[in-house]
Amino acid sequence: MTEFSYQDNIILEQPTSEEKVEINIVDAICGSGKTSAAINMINASDEEQRFLYITPYLDEVNRIIESCPSKHFKQPEVYGTKTKGIKFLLEKGLNIVSTHALFKNFDTEIVDLVRAMNYILIMDEVAEVVEPLDISKSDLQIVLDKTELQDNGLLKWTDKDYSGELWNYRRLCELNAVFYHNNTALLYLFPVDCFKAFRQVYILTYMFDAQVQRYYYDFYGAEFKYIGVAGDKIDNYHFVPELTISNNNEFAKLIKIEDSITLNALGEKSFSLSVSWYDKNIKTYATGIKNNLYNFFRHKAKTPSNKNLWTVFKQYKNAIQGKGYAKSFLSCNARATNAYSDRTAVAYMCNIFFNPILKNFFEQKGVRVEEDKWALSELLQFLFRSGIRKGEEIRLYIPSMRMRNLLKRWIVGAYDDKMDPNNQEQIPTEVKVEKAKELIERYNLNSAVVDVSDMNIKTVVDEQGVISVVSDDDLPF
């Protein structure tokens, strides 16, 4: 009898030396069918395929549950705390849907469960993956005493017996999630191992190039690719390998920008209406800003209070709120609400800039931060809380010239290009220029001054104020 050897007949699998996750960025404008495409993908998947669906919208949680009945999605908070609930559901191998807050409760046990159970992550909108940690100097010193600073800047917790009030910092350090920046500040970096634990990741967003999560991926050297959405109705939207270019002028037709010189006079300087500007000038200009808001809503838009929507940095809300619009306030960084989609008069009283600590952190690490594009993406997120998401016309008061010009550049497609790691084909320059000329004329975008000093563009403005392209390097503004 011949002796049988398993080694002679079976190739044994070996663990890979590096975890690979396929990260897909579905970058398309609101209303393009991203969520419907994700739902259709889930419903068409194999019965045994497991999903974790994360969304900022509570109403979207119910939509996923109702739209994917065969997958029996569960919410972790139903089973106790979110942390206990997700561990229970992961152990059972069930499909899970929850809000972004769930991600901040991840620990090493959850990461191991996700990896073992072979989940696909679908994330509706980017997460807060990097942010400064608010910690007192005394508590910071305690954390530093109980940790070891590693070569990569991350803090490693060394006091294995600690169980005090700063336990959450221990949890984050054990997840490799706390970075000590410039010997002055602690930064939270979402544990990259959490993303690596998934087989595939789908990020449903718009203008990903400008998001902190893009810079986070660049920092960690994470590979990702852009994909698009095709289809024309709910039941046939699907993901496609080609990048989708948004038709911004469809929304441009719905936006009427307030061009009153009087109402916009406060915002002419580059840093007017920024946080630092409000800090220095709120007492002086509060009454004037309040009068401008009242004038816009009452005499320009002529809308009832239940059709108004306005924002400013939250700490200055009380100083400038007034009759006819006080109850229509929404935070300028709001994401998780569709409750204002009936509002048709919008006032955006902010001029926003990237967090200087985070900007310094990324740039020191060689990661390019596109501050203007990020500011534009924040503005668009807010605008899409209003009636524009339902195809209704809106009247927009945006006194900051910088923010107003960013919006106008977006309208003519100045920000359609992606910094694509796979070098996907970009929009041909001649197409951008022709599109810009057409839309500038159609929407009378020459009616306001446009600052092109930071765009490296050669243009000529004639005596009638009409912008002409004298170089095909880029757009007219």
Side-chain angles (χ1 to χ4, degrees), residues 181-247:
H181 176 56
N182 280 357
N183 296 321
T184 56
L186 291 186
L187 302 182
Y188 163 78
L189 275 74
F190 182 78
V192 72
D193 285 346
C194 294
F195 284 113
K196 290 181 178 180
F198 293 94
R199 184 167 66 86
Q200 290 179 309
V201 175
Y202 290 83
I203 310 293
L204 316 182
T205 189
Y206 180 53
M207 295 185 72
F208 181 70
D209 275 350
Q211 306 300 330
V212 173
Q213 193 162 338
R214 162 69 198 249
Y215 308 144
Y216 164 89
Y217 282 163
D218 287 348
F219 170 72
Y220 277 113
E223 296 181 3
F224 61 90
K225 63 180 179 180
Y226 286 103
I227 63 174
V229 178
D232 56 10
K233 54 185 178 180
I234 290 176
D235 59 358
N236 72 6
Y237 282 119
H238 60 282
F239 297 135
V240 293
E242 302 81 18
L243 185 63
T244 303
I245 302 301
S246 301
N247 190 10

Coordinates of all heavy atoms in Angstrom, one line a residue, residues 181-247:
H181 N 0.4 65.6 18.1 CA 0.8 66.5 17.0 C 1.6 67.7 17.5 O 1.1 68.5 18.4 CB -0.4 67.0 16.2 CG -0.1 68.0 15.1 ND1 0.8 67.8 14.1 CD2 -0.6 69.3 14.9 CE1 0.8 68.8 13.3 NE2 0.0 69.7 13.8
N182 N 2.8 67.9 17.0 CA 3.6 69.1 17.4 C 3.8 69.3 18.9 O 4.0 70.5 19.3 CB 3.0 70.4 16.7 CG 3.3 70.5 15.3 OD1 4.1 69.7 14.7 ND2 2.8 71.5 14.6
N183 N 3.8 68.2 19.6 CA 4.0 68.3 21.1 C 3.0 69.3 21.8 O 3.2 69.8 22.9 CB 5.4 68.8 21.4 CG 6.4 67.8 21.0 OD1 6.2 66.6 21.1 ND2 7.5 68.3 20.4
T184 N 1.8 69.5 21.1 CA 0.8 70.4 21.7 C -0.6 69.9 21.7 O -1.4 70.2 22.6 CB 0.8 71.7 20.9 OG1 0.6 71.5 19.5 CG2 2.2 72.5 21.1
A185 N -1.0 69.0 20.7 CA -2.4 68.7 20.6 C -2.5 67.2 20.3 O -1.6 66.5 19.7 CB -3.0 69.4 19.4
L186 N -3.6 66.6 20.8 CA -4.0 65.2 20.5 C -5.0 65.2 19.4 O -6.0 66.0 19.4 CB -4.6 64.5 21.7 CG -3.6 64.3 22.9 CD1 -4.4 63.4 24.0 CD2 -2.4 63.5 22.5
L187 N -4.7 64.4 18.4 CA -5.7 64.2 17.3 C -6.2 62.8 17.3 O -5.5 61.9 17.5 CB -5.0 64.5 15.9 CG -4.3 65.9 15.7 CD1 -3.7 65.9 14.3 CD2 -5.3 67.0 15.9
Y188 N -7.5 62.7 17.0 CA -8.2 61.4 16.9 C -8.1 61.1 15.4 O -8.5 61.8 14.5 CB -9.6 61.5 17.3 CG -10.4 60.3 16.8 CD1 -10.4 59.1 17.4 CD2 -11.3 60.5 15.7 CE1 -11.1 58.0 16.9 CE2 -12.1 59.4 15.3 CZ -12.0 58.2 15.9 OH -12.7 57.1 15.4
L189 N -7.5 59.9 15.1 CA -7.5 59.4 13.7 C -8.2 58.1 13.8 O -7.8 57.1 14.5 CB -6.0 59.1 13.3 CG -5.3 60.3 12.6 CD1 -4.9 61.3 13.7 CD2 -4.1 59.8 11.9
F190 N -9.3 58.0 13.0 CA -10.1 56.8 13.0 C -9.2 55.6 12.7 O -8.3 55.6 11.8 CB -11.2 56.9 11.9 CG -12.1 55.7 11.9 CD1 -13.1 55.5 12.8 CD2 -11.9 54.7 10.9 CE1 -13.9 54.4 12.8 CE2 -12.7 53.6 10.8 CZ -13.7 53.4 11.8
P191 N -9.3 54.5 13.5 CA -8.3 53.4 13.3 C -8.4 52.8 11.9 O -9.4 52.3 11.5 CB -8.8 52.4 14.4 CG -9.6 53.2 15.3 CD -10.2 54.3 14.6
V192 N -7.3 52.9 11.2 CA -7.3 52.4 9.8 C -7.5 50.9 9.8 O -8.0 50.4 8.8 CB -5.9 52.8 9.2 CG1 -4.8 51.9 9.7 CG2 -6.0 52.6 7.7
D193 N -7.2 50.2 10.9 CA -7.5 48.7 10.9 C -9.0 48.4 10.7 O -9.4 47.4 10.3 CB -7.0 48.1 12.2 CG -5.5 47.9 12.2 OD1 -4.9 48.1 11.1 OD2 -4.9 47.7 13.3
C194 N -9.9 49.4 11.1 CA -11.3 49.2 11.0 C -11.7 49.1 9.5 O -12.5 48.3 9.1 CB -12.1 50.4 11.7 SG -11.9 50.4 13.4
F195 N -11.1 50.0 8.7 CA -11.4 49.9 7.2 C -10.8 48.6 6.6 O -11.4 47.9 5.8 CB -10.8 51.1 6.5 CG -11.7 52.3 6.7 CD1 -11.2 53.4 7.4 CD2 -12.9 52.4 6.1 CE1 -12.0 54.5 7.5 CE2 -13.7 53.5 6.3 CZ -13.2 54.6 7.0
K196 N -9.6 48.2 7.1 CA -8.9 47.1 6.6 C -9.6 45.8 6.9 O -9.4 44.7 6.2 CB -7.5 47.0 7.1 CG -6.5 48.0 6.6 CD -5.1 47.8 7.2 CE -4.1 48.8 6.7 NZ -2.8 48.6 7.3
A197 N -10.5 45.8 7.9 CA -11.2 44.6 8.3 C -12.3 44.2 7.4 O -12.7 43.0 7.3 CB -11.8 44.8 9.7
F198 N -12.7 45.1 6.5 CA -13.8 44.8 5.6 C -13.2 44.3 4.3 O -12.1 44.6 3.9 CB -14.6 46.1 5.3 CG -15.4 46.6 6.5 CD1 -14.9 47.5 7.3 CD2 -16.7 46.1 6.7 CE1 -15.6 48.0 8.4 CE2 -17.4 46.5 7.8 CZ -16.9 47.5 8.7
R199 N -14.0 43.5 3.6 CA -13.6 42.9 2.3 C -13.7 44.0 1.2 O -12.8 44.1 0.4 CB -14.5 41.7 1.9 CG -14.0 41.0 0.7 CD -14.7 39.7 0.5 NE -16.2 39.8 0.4 CZ -16.8 40.0 -0.8 NH1 -16.0 40.1 -1.9 NH2 -18.1 40.1 -0.9
Q200 N -14.8 44.8 1.3 CA -15.0 45.9 0.4 C -15.6 47.0 1.1 O -16.3 46.9 2.1 CB -15.9 45.5 -0.8 CG -15.4 44.5 -1.8 CD -16.4 44.1 -2.8 OE1 -17.6 43.8 -2.5 NE2 -16.0 44.3 -4.1
V201 N -15.3 48.2 0.6 CA -15.9 49.5 1.2 C -16.5 50.3 0.1 O -15.8 50.5 -1.0 CB -14.8 50.3 2.0 CG1 -15.4 51.6 2.5 CG2 -14.3 49.5 3.2
Y202 N -17.7 50.8 0.3 CA -18.3 51.8 -0.7 C -18.6 53.1 0.1 O -19.3 53.0 1.1 CB -19.6 51.2 -1.2 CG -19.4 50.0 -2.2 CD1 -19.2 48.7 -1.7 CD2 -19.4 50.2 -3.5 CE1 -19.0 47.7 -2.5 CE2 -19.2 49.1 -4.4 CZ -19.0 47.9 -3.9 OH -18.8 46.8 -4.8
I203 N -18.0 54.2 -0.4 CA -18.3 55.5 0.2 C -19.2 56.3 -0.7 O -18.8 56.6 -1.9 CB -17.0 56.3 0.5 CG1 -15.9 55.4 1.2 CG2 -17.3 57.6 1.2 CD1 -16.3 55.1 2.6
L204 N -20.4 56.6 -0.3 CA -21.3 57.3 -1.1 C -21.2 58.8 -0.7 O -21.6 59.2 0.4 CB -22.8 56.8 -0.9 CG -23.0 55.3 -0.9 CD1 -24.5 55.0 -0.7 CD2 -22.4 54.6 -2.1
T205 N -20.7 59.6 -1.6 CA -20.5 61.0 -1.3 C -20.5 61.9 -2.5 O -20.8 61.5 -3.6 CB -19.2 61.1 -0.5 OG1 -19.0 62.4 0.0 CG2 -18.0 60.8 -1.4
Y206 N -20.1 63.2 -2.3 CA -19.9 64.1 -3.4 C -18.7 65.0 -3.1 O -18.5 65.4 -1.9 CB -21.1 65.0 -3.6 CG -21.0 65.9 -4.8 CD1 -20.6 65.5 -6.0 CD2 -21.3 67.3 -4.6 CE1 -20.5 66.4 -7.1 CE2 -21.1 68.2 -5.6 CZ -20.7 67.8 -6.9 OH -20.6 68.7 -7.9
M207 N -17.9 65.2 -4.1 CA -16.6 66.0 -3.9 C -15.7 65.4 -2.9 O -15.2 66.0 -2.0 CB -16.9 67.5 -3.5 CG -17.7 68.2 -4.6 SD -17.9 70.0 -4.3 CE -16.3 70.6 -4.5
F208 N -15.5 64.1 -3.1 CA -14.6 63.4 -2.1 C -13.2 64.0 -2.1 O -12.5 63.9 -1.0 CB -14.5 61.9 -2.5 CG -13.7 61.0 -1.6 CD1 -14.1 60.7 -0.3 CD2 -12.5 60.5 -2.1 CE1 -13.3 60.0 0.5 CE2 -11.7 59.8 -1.2 CZ -12.1 59.5 0.1
D209 N -12.7 64.5 -3.2 CA -11.4 65.1 -3.2 C -11.2 66.1 -2.1 O -10.0 66.3 -1.7 CB -11.1 65.8 -4.6 CG -10.6 64.8 -5.6 OD1 -10.3 63.7 -5.2 OD2 -10.5 65.1 -6.8
A210 N -12.2 66.8 -1.7 CA -12.1 67.9 -0.8 C -12.4 67.4 0.7 O -12.3 68.3 1.6 CB -13.1 69.0 -1.1
Q211 N -12.7 66.2 0.9 CA -13.1 65.7 2.2 C -11.9 65.3 3.1 O -10.9 64.8 2.5 CB -14.1 64.6 2.1 CG -15.3 64.8 1.2 CD -16.1 66.0 1.7 OE1 -16.2 66.2 2.9 NE2 -16.8 66.7 0.8
V212 N -12.1 65.4 4.4 CA -11.0 65.0 5.3 C -10.7 63.5 5.1 O -9.6 63.1 5.3 CB -11.5 65.3 6.8 CG1 -10.5 64.7 7.7 CG2 -11.6 66.8 7.0
Q213 N -11.8 62.7 4.8 CA -11.5 61.3 4.7 C -10.6 61.0 3.5 O -9.8 60.0 3.5 CB -12.8 60.5 4.5 CG -12.7 59.0 4.6 CD -14.0 58.3 4.9 OE1 -15.0 58.9 5.4 NE2 -14.1 57.1 4.6
R214 N -10.6 61.8 2.4 CA -9.6 61.7 1.3 C -8.2 61.9 1.9 O -7.3 61.2 1.5 CB -10.0 62.7 0.2 CG -8.8 63.0 -0.8 CD -8.6 61.7 -1.6 NE -7.3 61.8 -2.3 CZ -7.1 61.9 -3.6 NH1 -8.1 62.0 -4.4 NH2 -5.9 61.9 -4.1
Y215 N -8.1 63.0 2.6 CA -6.7 63.3 3.2 C -6.2 62.2 4.1 O -5.1 61.9 4.2 CB -6.8 64.7 3.9 CG -7.3 65.8 3.0 CD1 -8.1 66.8 3.6 CD2 -7.1 65.8 1.6 CE1 -8.6 67.8 2.8 CE2 -7.6 66.8 0.9 CZ -8.4 67.8 1.4 OH -8.9 68.8 0.7
Y216 N -7.2 61.7 4.9 CA -6.9 60.6 5.8 C -6.4 59.3 5.0 O -5.4 58.7 5.4 CB -8.2 60.2 6.6 CG -8.2 58.9 7.3 CD1 -7.8 58.8 8.6 CD2 -8.8 57.8 6.7 CE1 -7.9 57.6 9.3 CE2 -8.9 56.6 7.3 CZ -8.5 56.5 8.6 OH -8.6 55.3 9.3
Y217 N -7.1 59.0 3.9 CA -6.6 57.9 3.1 C -5.2 58.2 2.5 O -4.4 57.3 2.4 CB -7.6 57.6 1.9 CG -8.8 56.9 2.3 CD1 -10.0 56.9 1.5 CD2 -8.9 56.2 3.5 CE1 -11.1 56.2 1.9 CE2 -10.0 55.5 3.9 CZ -11.1 55.5 3.1 OH -12.2 54.8 3.5
D218 N -5.0 59.4 2.0 CA -3.7 59.8 1.5 C -2.6 59.6 2.6 O -1.5 59.2 2.3 CB -3.7 61.2 1.0 CG -4.5 61.3 -0.3 OD1 -4.8 60.3 -0.9 OD2 -4.8 62.5 -0.7
F219 N -2.9 60.0 3.8 CA -2.0 60.0 4.9 C -1.5 58.5 5.2 O -0.4 58.2 5.4 CB -2.6 60.5 6.2 CG -1.8 60.3 7.4 CD1 -0.6 60.9 7.7 CD2 -2.3 59.4 8.4 CE1 0.1 60.7 8.8 CE2 -1.6 59.2 9.6 CZ -0.4 59.8 9.8
Y220 N -2.5 57.6 5.1 CA -2.2 56.2 5.3 C -1.8 55.4 4.1 O -1.5 54.3 4.1 CB -3.4 55.5 6.0 CG -3.5 55.7 7.5 CD1 -4.5 56.4 8.0 CD2 -2.6 55.1 8.3 CE1 -4.6 56.6 9.4 CE2 -2.6 55.3 9.7 CZ -3.7 56.0 10.2 OH -3.7 56.2 11.6
G221 N -1.8 56.1 2.9 CA -1.4 55.5 1.7 C -2.4 54.5 1.2 O -2.1 53.5 0.5
A222 N -3.7 54.7 1.6 CA -4.8 53.7 1.2 C -5.1 53.8 -0.2 O -5.3 55.0 -0.7 CB -6.0 53.9 2.1
E223 N -5.2 52.7 -0.9 CA -5.6 52.7 -2.3 C -7.1 52.7 -2.4 O -7.8 52.1 -1.7 CB -5.0 51.5 -3.0 CG -3.5 51.5 -3.1 CD -3.0 50.3 -3.8 OE1 -3.8 49.5 -4.3 OE2 -1.7 50.1 -3.9
F224 N -7.6 53.5 -3.4 CA -9.1 53.6 -3.6 C -9.3 53.9 -5.1 O -8.4 54.3 -5.8 CB -9.8 54.6 -2.7 CG -9.3 56.0 -2.9 CD1 -9.9 56.8 -3.8 CD2 -8.3 56.5 -2.1 CE1 -9.5 58.1 -4.0 CE2 -7.9 57.8 -2.3 CZ -8.5 58.6 -3.3
K225 N -10.5 53.7 -5.5 CA -10.9 54.0 -6.9 C -12.2 54.7 -6.9 O -13.1 54.4 -6.1 CB -10.9 52.8 -7.8 CG -11.9 51.7 -7.4 CD -11.8 50.5 -8.3 CE -12.9 49.5 -7.9 NZ -12.8 48.3 -8.8
Y226 N -12.4 55.6 -7.9 CA -13.7 56.2 -8.2 C -14.6 55.3 -9.0 O -14.1 54.8 -10.0 CB -13.6 57.6 -8.9 CG -13.0 58.7 -8.0 CD1 -11.7 59.0 -8.1 CD2 -13.8 59.3 -7.1 CE1 -11.2 60.1 -7.3 CE2 -13.3 60.3 -6.3 CZ -12.0 60.7 -6.4 OH -11.5 61.7 -5.6
I227 N -15.9 55.2 -8.7 CA -16.8 54.5 -9.5 C -18.0 55.4 -9.7 O -18.2 56.4 -8.9 CB -17.2 53.1 -9.0 CG1 -17.9 53.2 -7.7 CG2 -16.0 52.2 -8.9 CD1 -18.5 51.9 -7.2
G228 N -18.9 55.1 -10.6 CA -20.1 56.0 -10.8 C -21.4 55.3 -10.7 O -21.5 54.1 -10.3
V229 N -22.5 56.0 -11.0 CA -23.8 55.5 -11.0 C -24.5 55.6 -12.3 O -24.4 56.7 -13.0 CB -24.7 56.2 -9.9 CG1 -26.1 55.7 -9.9 CG2 -24.0 56.1 -8.5
A230 N -25.2 54.6 -12.8 CA -25.9 54.6 -14.0 C -27.4 54.2 -13.7 O -27.7 53.5 -12.8 CB -25.3 53.8 -15.1
G231 N -28.3 54.6 -14.6 CA -29.7 54.3 -14.4 C -30.6 55.5 -14.5 O -30.1 56.7 -14.4
D232 N -31.9 55.3 -14.6 CA -32.8 56.5 -14.7 C -34.0 56.3 -13.7 O -34.9 57.2 -13.8 CB -33.2 56.7 -16.1 CG -33.9 55.4 -16.7 OD1 -34.2 54.5 -16.0 OD2 -34.1 55.5 -17.9
K233 N -34.1 55.3 -12.9 CA -35.1 55.1 -12.0 C -34.7 54.3 -10.8 O -33.7 53.6 -10.9 CB -36.4 54.6 -12.6 CG -36.2 53.3 -13.4 CD -37.5 52.9 -14.1 CE -37.3 51.6 -14.9 NZ -38.6 51.2 -15.6
I234 N -35.5 54.3 -9.7 CA -35.1 53.6 -8.5 C -34.6 52.2 -8.7 O -33.6 51.7 -8.1 CB -36.2 53.7 -7.4 CG1 -36.3 55.2 -7.0 CG2 -35.9 52.8 -6.3 CD1 -37.5 55.4 -6.0
D235 N -35.4 51.4 -9.5 CA -35.1 50.0 -9.5 C -34.0 49.6 -10.5 O -33.7 48.4 -10.6 CB -36.4 49.2 -9.8 CG -37.0 49.6 -11.1 OD1 -36.5 50.5 -11.8 OD2 -38.1 49.0 -11.5
N236 N -33.4 50.6 -11.3 CA -32.4 50.2 -12.2 C -31.1 51.0 -12.0 O -30.1 50.8 -12.7 CB -32.8 50.2 -13.6 CG -33.0 51.6 -14.2 OD1 -32.6 52.6 -13.5 ND2 -33.5 51.8 -15.4
Y237 N -31.0 51.8 -10.9 CA -29.7 52.4 -10.6 C -28.7 51.4 -10.2 O -29.0 50.4 -9.5 CB -29.9 53.4 -9.4 CG -30.5 54.7 -9.8 CD1 -31.7 55.2 -9.3 CD2 -29.9 55.6 -10.8 CE1 -32.3 56.4 -9.6 CE2 -30.4 56.8 -11.1 CZ -31.7 57.2 -10.5 OH -32.2 58.4 -10.9
H238 N -27.5 51.5 -10.7 CA -26.4 50.5 -10.4 C -25.1 51.2 -10.5 O -24.9 52.2 -11.2 CB -26.5 49.3 -11.3 CG -26.4 49.7 -12.8 ND1 -27.4 50.3 -13.5 CD2 -25.3 49.6 -13.6 CE1 -27.0 50.5 -14.8 NE2 -25.7 50.1 -14.9
F239 N -24.1 50.6 -9.8 CA -22.7 51.1 -9.9 C -22.1 50.7 -11.2 O -22.3 49.6 -11.7 CB -21.9 50.6 -8.7 CG -22.5 51.1 -7.4 CD1 -22.6 50.2 -6.3 CD2 -22.8 52.4 -7.2 CE1 -23.1 50.6 -5.1 CE2 -23.3 52.8 -5.9 CZ -23.4 51.9 -4.9
V240 N -21.2 51.6 -11.7 CA -20.5 51.3 -12.9 C -19.0 51.7 -12.7 O -18.7 52.6 -11.9 CB -21.1 52.1 -14.1 CG1 -22.4 51.6 -14.5 CG2 -21.1 53.6 -13.9
P241 N -18.1 51.1 -13.4 CA -16.7 51.4 -13.2 C -16.3 52.8 -13.6 O -15.3 53.4 -13.1 CB -15.9 50.4 -14.1 CG -16.9 49.5 -14.7 CD -18.3 50.1 -14.4
E242 N -17.0 53.5 -14.5 CA -16.7 54.8 -15.0 C -17.1 55.9 -14.0 O -18.2 55.8 -13.4 CB -17.3 55.1 -16.3 CG -16.9 54.1 -17.4 CD -17.8 52.9 -17.4 OE1 -18.8 52.9 -16.7 OE2 -17.3 51.8 -17.9
L243 N -16.3 56.9 -13.9 CA -16.6 58.0 -13.0 C -17.7 58.8 -13.6 O -17.8 59.1 -14.8 CB -15.3 58.9 -12.9 CG -15.4 60.1 -11.9 CD1 -15.6 59.7 -10.5 CD2 -14.1 60.9 -12.0
T244 N -18.7 59.2 -12.7 CA -19.8 60.0 -13.2 C -19.5 61.5 -13.0 O -19.1 62.0 -12.0 CB -21.1 59.7 -12.3 OG1 -21.3 58.3 -12.4 CG2 -22.3 60.5 -12.8
I245 N -19.7 62.3 -14.1 CA -19.6 63.7 -14.0 C -20.9 64.4 -13.8 O -21.9 64.2 -14.6 CB -18.9 64.3 -15.3 CG1 -17.6 63.6 -15.6 CG2 -18.8 65.8 -15.3 CD1 -16.6 63.8 -14.5
S246 N -21.0 65.2 -12.8 CA -22.3 65.8 -12.4 C -22.7 66.9 -13.4 O -21.8 67.6 -13.8 CB -22.2 66.3 -11.0 OG -21.9 65.3 -10.0
N247 N -24.0 67.0 -13.6 CA -24.5 68.1 -14.5 C -24.9 69.2 -13.6 O -26.1 69.4 -13.2 CB -25.7 67.6 -15.3 CG -26.1 68.6 -16.4 OD1 -25.4 69.5 -16.6 ND2 -27.2 68.3 -17.0

